[in-house]
Amino acid sequence: MAEQQRVAVVGAGLAGCLLATLLGRRGIAVSVYERREDPRVTGAERGRSINLAISARGLDALEHVGLREQALGQALPMHGRMIHGTDGTQGFQSYSADGTRAINSISRSELNHALLDAAEKTPGVTLHFGRRLRDVDLNTGTLAFDDGTSAPADIVLASDGSYSAARRAVTFREGFTFSQDYLEHGYKELTIPAQNGAPAANGGVAGGGSKFALDPDALHIWPRGESMMIALPNLDRSFTCTLFWPKGELAALQTDEQITGYFRTHYPDAAPLMPTLVEDYRLNPVGSLVTVKAWPWVHHGGSATLALVGDAAHAIVPFFGQGANCALEDCVEIDRCLGEFGGDWQRALAEYERRRKANCDAIAEMALDNFVEMRDRVNSPVYRAKMAGQHFLERRLPGHYVSRYELVSFTTMPYARIPARMRRQGRLTAVAGAGLLAGTLAIVRRALR
Amino acid sequence: MAEQQRVAVVGAGLAGCLLATLLGRRGIAVSVYERREDPRVTGAERGRSINLAISARGLDALEHVGLREQALGQALPMHGRMIHGTDGTQGFQSYSADGTRAINSISRSELNHALLDAAEKTPGVTLHFGRRLRDVDLNTGTLAFDDGTSAPADIVLASDGSYSAARRAVTFREGFTFSQDYLEHGYKELTIPAQNGAPAANGGVAGGGSKFALDPDALHIWPRGESMMIALPNLDRSFTCTLFWPKGELAALQTDEQITGYFRTHYPDAAPLMPTLVEDYRLNPVGSLVTVKAWPWVHHGGSATLALVGDAAHAIVPFFGQGANCALEDCVEIDRCLGEFGGDWQRALAEYERRRKANCDAIAEMALDNFVEMRDRVNSPVYRAKMAGQHFLERRLPGHYVSRYELVSFTTMPYARIPARMRRQGRLTAVAGAGLLAGTLAIVRRALR
């Protein structure tokens, strides 16, 4: 009976493709509707990516459809943060106490292409491109598209992102608690290209003879307080940079001189590595940073049910690198619930939203919190001492003391348990005193070098 | 030049009418569009009022259009809270230290009728009923209505309430920070009719020989923790009761026996006063309690500007009796800003949103806070001791110590200053110690009576 329900997935981004693939493998026929044309044909939009940092949760989800190794093969591991001072100095901070753990820089579009391929070749999954959703009618069970076409659906899984079109159909329902909270900061993508070394033997291959302008084993951060820039390495040995700054400030840089002048002053070591800075700054759009919260995630009409998935349910800011990881976890949870409830969609979706809500709220808060940490605190002596103290404790108390960053990035512990774990850990190990001691020792040791 | 702008007000509720009247008096032509038919002709909807408690801010705003005395003439003063225990006992708590201040129970529809009359007779103001807004196009400056008609506007003032239709036109604009937050609690209106005494001499006149079933000089509260009922007196000597309870609980009472049984157990002194309880409970809808926050309030398009006013900008829960008072203050502020900027709408609206935002955020928070206080704390010995302590301090330190309730309800001090004032007051008077002392004395005195 459950198999007879017509299932539609809205949005063929990372979550939509993974979800369709998981459902297809379960023997469920799924129609996926994507507003863009096939991105494997048309290519990505300019300047709207923010590279992904795939970590334990995303990899675990990809493993469910056998894509873990393929994804890692397209990714570059980053074992820590490289902090760039205004004086051009660089300082490396390992993400893990033992230095072995890494998050993985991967191109959003490459990963999306791999997931589109996986969905397309899964029996039962049909991809429909160029179908921009206009409205969902849950009473008749109909999706209406901008091109005038429509499609029937009993179960609508809305994985169409932060600005979800499917969500609009329920936004003004009485009792739908909803918020979209924009940061004053926007972002602008910039680039540090590969540096040409000696020409490669075979000539012409992208990156053949070139090298990375910065250490590719790190996520680079230029913390400047009000503004911040980050850079993630790409396979072609370039870096994608993202400048975060209040939107008013981003718009205020107008002339070539203002743009180059600002970067020479505040990002003196990066500016010379950015030959297309002015062009990138001019042409790339200003992106928004929004946190979306919604409740409930599952909505019923006379003949159809809508469930919000991934960013459509809980868009978060990118400062913990967890947006995609978290969305992929949603898909696995829906699939798991369907398994547990023998394909009963109503029970499965009710359980999905119940299990995921607190976790997604928790990472949303940690992501906002991390913005302050990244743009400001990472560069302070107190923060460095705290980090040193944390790693000291992690090494001395393996398994007992684990930093928040490690729990978020290198485990699949439910996000919601992490804040409580951190508080418990703090009490149990009397972290304040020990951290201060370890930090002081680290500073003294460094000073005596 | 400013006079040539076509001004539309959406919604002819309390704020829309006051705003149109103020603008008309300023010589500005205003078209008011209201979705309902003229409520002076059709009457009010069943069970959707929550009586208003008009206090200093609302009265001050009404004074600007000469309606203060008329409103007070239709109102019943309530000098304090009457707390009803589960054992049927009643305890009166004065709203002010000197016992002279009162909030004023008034029928929302009566006040709306008076404001509609005032708007209608103001030169330049035109009221259009039965025009339900479908969309606002700020690029063409057009309002489109459900009946297929449209109207031009350069300035659109959206005073169409918590579920504002005008606001939908900007809800999905990038950068519009917006939240609608529903409480788990809903509400249900019930009634305590006037009690028939000896027939009036002239016979037949409503309330002629009848009397109030409860003290009409108080806002009655039945604090029960998870649920709460309040009752406000009406001119016809009835009381409008509002039961607040989680929506699931409200829906769970089904049979006549369940309804009457619940009230006899939890509201034993009120139940016998409610002869139409079962009918009211069955027929009246469950209302929602929503807090709406939005930013910005002013939105520009190619040829028109939209400003959110009152509940459309900042709907709040009713537990401080300030929703209408706050909305009316908005209107006065817009009018004041227009005066200060010589009729320059753009500067006036920018200043309006700047001045009002923090104030409306502050009362939104205090209103939520007061829910906990009303349904729970008012009945505790600690709370009563604190109240006694506050009043003691207010009498001993006149002008220096003023309670939050008095600042909100009996002054026009900007809401946003009140929390800081309360903190300062707490520090300066060492309120904790003194309040405890005064409270203890009060308890001891009561015990020795």
Side-chain angles (χ1 to χ4, degrees), chain B residues 241-278:
Chain B
C241 306
T242 312
L243 172 68
F244 299 94
W245 209 14
K247 287 181 175 179
E249 307 282 349
L250 279 170
L253 291 195
Q254 299 270 352
T255 65
D256 291 12
E257 290 67 37
Q258 286 172 334
I259 296 168
T260 52
Y262 175 76
F263 276 81
R264 282 204 199 109
T265 305
H266 297 280
Y267 300 95
D269 62 332
L273 307 176
M274 305 168 92
T276 57
L277 170 63
V278 170

Side-chain angles (χ1 to χ4, degrees), chain A residues 48 163-164 167-168 170-183 247 286-288, chain B residues 48 163-164 167-168 170-183 247 286-288:
Chain A
R48 299 303 295 245
Y163 306 106
S164 170
R167 192 179 59 217
R168 293 187 187 190
V170 298
T171 297
F172 300 115
R173 283 196 164 192
E174 192 168 340
F176 182 54
T177 284
F178 172 70
S179 69
Q180 53 191 24
D181 198 348
Y182 286 85
L183 291 188
K247 287 181 176 179
V286 172
S288 288
Chain B
R48 298 303 296 244
Y163 306 106
S164 172
R167 192 179 61 216
R168 294 187 185 189
V170 298
T171 297
F172 301 114
R173 282 196 163 191
E174 192 168 341
F176 181 55
T177 284
F178 171 70
S179 69
Q180 55 191 25
D181 199 347
Y182 286 85
L183 292 189
K247 287 181 175 179
V286 171
S288 288

